[in-house]
Amino acid sequence: MSIRYELLTLLRDHGPLSRAQLAGRLEVPRRRLLAELDHLVEAGRVVEAECAGPRRGRRSTLVKLDPGLRFAAVDLDARSVGVEVTDGCLRAVASYSERCDIRTGPVNVLGRATRILEKMRAQGHFTQLDAIGIGLPGPVSFREGVPVSPPIMPGWDRHPVRDVLSGEHGCPVAVDNDVNVMTLGEQHSGVARTVDNLIFVKIGSGSGVGCGMQIAGRIYRGAAGCAGDIGHIQVDADGPVCSCGNVGCLEALFSQEALARHAESAADDGRSLLLAELLAAKGCLTARDVADGAAAGDAVCIGIVRAGGRQVGQVLAGLVSFMNPSMIVIGGDLADLGHILLAELRSVVYQRSLPLATGDLPMVLSELGARAGVVGAAVLASELAYGGPVS
Ligand SMILES: [Zn+2]
């Protein structure tokens, strides 16, 4: 990693520091450090800030990121668009989200994000963006900045998301899969702050199950950018046919459609009074109804969640043996199935993986929750602008 990136991310994460403090934290020759700093001051990325020193009358010069730096974080999911503008230290200066159906296509959805940003510009939150980070709920070719055959995003296949946004906003843009973006967020300012080897599992009502991996401090995207797409790993050879054409995929057993199917059958055959009443009132059931029913203590809903937890757990147990992570974080909008799901995941993973791999392995819920995507997209934008791992 370059000195420039290390310097800028130190200032991003710790705020103003003196030259001596920077030298103490970076293992580089002092002359190289000072030359790089001068270069960054000249380029306007870093500014000097006078402040009172520890002794009266003595002043020390600190350096800090240019307060005018601005990043845009865009978080798209199946049903909403979230936009946040941050400063160079990733503190939010403006934030907005609205409902938006991803199936209305890229021109409409990206247009909505652009209109939100234009409004924020008009309100004076920035004059020029330094970078944009965006997460999409589907497979993304990270190198090309395009989604590739995303199952829940009709019309988006190979749409040039990076080039369109870059052209409209005149800044570099990084496009990634939403689960990788959430992993970045959780690692930067969530529950996994101190962790370098992380598995983040997203359990979403709109886009199924996916996972992000951070290995030795870096997101692992694989050769084509689809690492972590665990939804189509087979967990039941006699299971239902999946949307991908194969049999017994995790996604076919534990997804929005699968949960709704289980719930409707429990309502039809009278196993759950709560689900039967809901079905009579609404005409159909969703994964959200199962989550709410489980939270309310309905035994059938809890049973459906537990069965799903065991299936996700089987896949996770394989991943743990393969990767030996130091933490597993569960996120996504169905993560509030939380403690029921976690108990099942833990029991399967601890039973099936090697004791050495699970000895100190915390499995926890996301700390950032619904904010993981937007926080991670801001981290992604800053990595791009600071010359970090993504570029
Ligand atoms: Zn499948």
Side-chain angles (χ1 to χ4, degrees), residues 332-348:
D333 67 344
L334 287 185
D336 59 348
L337 298 173
H339 296 288
I340 306 167
L341 201 57
L342 266 188
E344 292 302 320
L345 291 178
R346 283 194 184 115
S347 89
V348 178

Side-chain angles (χ1 to χ4, degrees), residues 292-337:
D292 294 345
D298 180 81
V300 168
C301 293
I302 292 174
I304 294 173
V305 176
R306 281 198 175 139
R310 283 194 292 279
Q311 281 141 357
V312 178
Q314 271 187 51
V315 172
L316 274 184
L319 296 181
V320 166
S321 300
F322 180 72
M323 185 189 138
N324 185 203
S326 37
M327 182 181 277
I328 294 178
V329 179
I330 311 293
D333 67 344
L334 287 185
D336 59 348
L337 298 173

